């Protein structure tokens, strides 16, 4: 029996402007701040301690202002809040809690990050980030490599729990403008081709037609 894999899809939508000054003031982000973002449940499998440690490592590697936004809620909220203080990155890492303005947050960011340690099939959150032309940094687990790979050219895969590799990936996208541009273009392109709603519907129809 042949196995047919149908990839998930995403429907791209017009970007939401970052010009909302109230949002920038709320988050304490200046125009020259490089913004990393993750949309994530605050639970152990999402690897957020790893993400926070990597932010501390990045802080030692660059003098450029940056922020790591973590949008979501979950059982680790208090624990992560204390860990951020312990790592001395309160000014850089911001727990935003549950948000209903995910599109605006993505449009106001520069890079999407997925730091998951396990249980990641094919991340719809990564696709959301890519649909806003955000390059992705993701851990090399589960289905992340089906999205972030040389063919799609949309970002960087890093080993889970390797703070140094994650921080270097952060720095690469912050400092290498040509590489950033290439990944940004690849991000939008793959959501309009490989993961487009029309393509996936067409592929699904072909499967059922041939049953």
């Amino acid at each position: 029996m042949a196995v047919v894999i149908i990839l998930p899809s995403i429907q791209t939508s017009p970007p939401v402007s970052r010009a909302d000054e109230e949002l920038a003031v709320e988050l304490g982000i200046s125009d020259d701040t490089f913004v990393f973002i993750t949309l994530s449940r605050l639970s152990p499998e999402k690897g957020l301690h790893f993400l926070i440690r990597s932010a501390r490592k990045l802080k030692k590697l660059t003098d450029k202002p940056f922020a790591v936004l973590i949008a979501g809620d979950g059982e680790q909220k208090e624990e992560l809040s204390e860990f951020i203080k312990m790592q001395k990155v309160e000014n850089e890492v911001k727990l935003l809690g549950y948000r209903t303005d995910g599109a605006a947050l993505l449009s106001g960011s520069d890079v999407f990050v997925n730091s998951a340690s396990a249980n990641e099939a094919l991340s719809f959150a990564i696709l959301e980030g890519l649909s806003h032309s955000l390059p992705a940094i993701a851990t090399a687990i589960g289905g992340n490599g089906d999205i972030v790979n040389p063919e799609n050219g949309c970002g960087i895969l890093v080993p889970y729990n390797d703070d140094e590799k994650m921080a270097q990936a952060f720095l690469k996208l912050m400092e290498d403008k040509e590489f950033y541009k290439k990944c940004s273009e690849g991000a939008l392109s793959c959501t309009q081709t490989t993961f487009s709603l029309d393509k996936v519907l067409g592929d699904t129809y072909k499967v059922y037609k041939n049953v």
Side-chain angles (χ1 to χ4, degrees), residues 82-94:
E82 289 302 313
F83 191 68
I84 288 168
K85 295 175 185 175
M86 186 186 307
Q87 295 293 307
K88 296 179 170 40
V89 287
E90 302 99 312
N91 293 330
E92 290 79 23
V93 181
K94 303 177 186 297

Side-chain angles (χ1 to χ4, degrees), residues 61-75:
L61 297 175
T62 183
D63 293 326
K64 296 179 180 178
F66 71 92
V68 178
L69 308 182
I70 303 174
D73 206 350
E75 67 267 29

Side-chain angles (χ1 to χ4, degrees), residues 20-30 69 94-101 104-105:
D20 185 348
E21 293 184 4
E22 291 183 6
L23 184 62
V25 170
E26 175 198 348
L27 302 180
I29 294 173
S30 59
L69 308 182
K94 303 177 186 297
L95 292 179
L96 306 185
Y98 174 75
R99 306 284 298 211
T100 59
D101 57 347
L105 290 171

Side-chain angles (χ1 to χ4, degrees), residues 24-99:
V25 170
E26 175 198 348
L27 302 180
I29 294 173
S30 59
D31 288 341
D32 62 342
T33 299
F34 195 94
V35 181
F36 301 91
I37 187 169
T38 188
L39 309 179
S40 175
R41 187 169 62 255
L42 307 187
S43 53
E45 74 278 4
K46 296 305 181 181
L48 297 173
H49 288 81
F50 165 45
L51 177 58
I52 293 164
R53 293 197 315 268
S54 300
R56 182 184 182 185
K57 179 75 70 173
L58 177 62
K59 189 175 179 179
K60 296 178 179 179
L61 297 175
T62 183
D63 293 326
K64 296 179 180 178
F66 71 92
V68 178
L69 308 182
I70 303 174
D73 206 350
E75 67 267 29
Q76 285 194 313
K77 183 176 181 180
E78 295 303 321
E79 179 183 337
L80 290 169
S81 180
E82 289 302 313
F83 191 68
I84 288 168
K85 295 175 185 175
M86 186 186 307
Q87 295 293 307
K88 296 179 170 40
V89 287
E90 302 99 312
N91 293 330
E92 290 79 23
V93 181
K94 303 177 186 297
L95 292 179
L96 306 185
Y98 174 75
R99 306 284 298 211

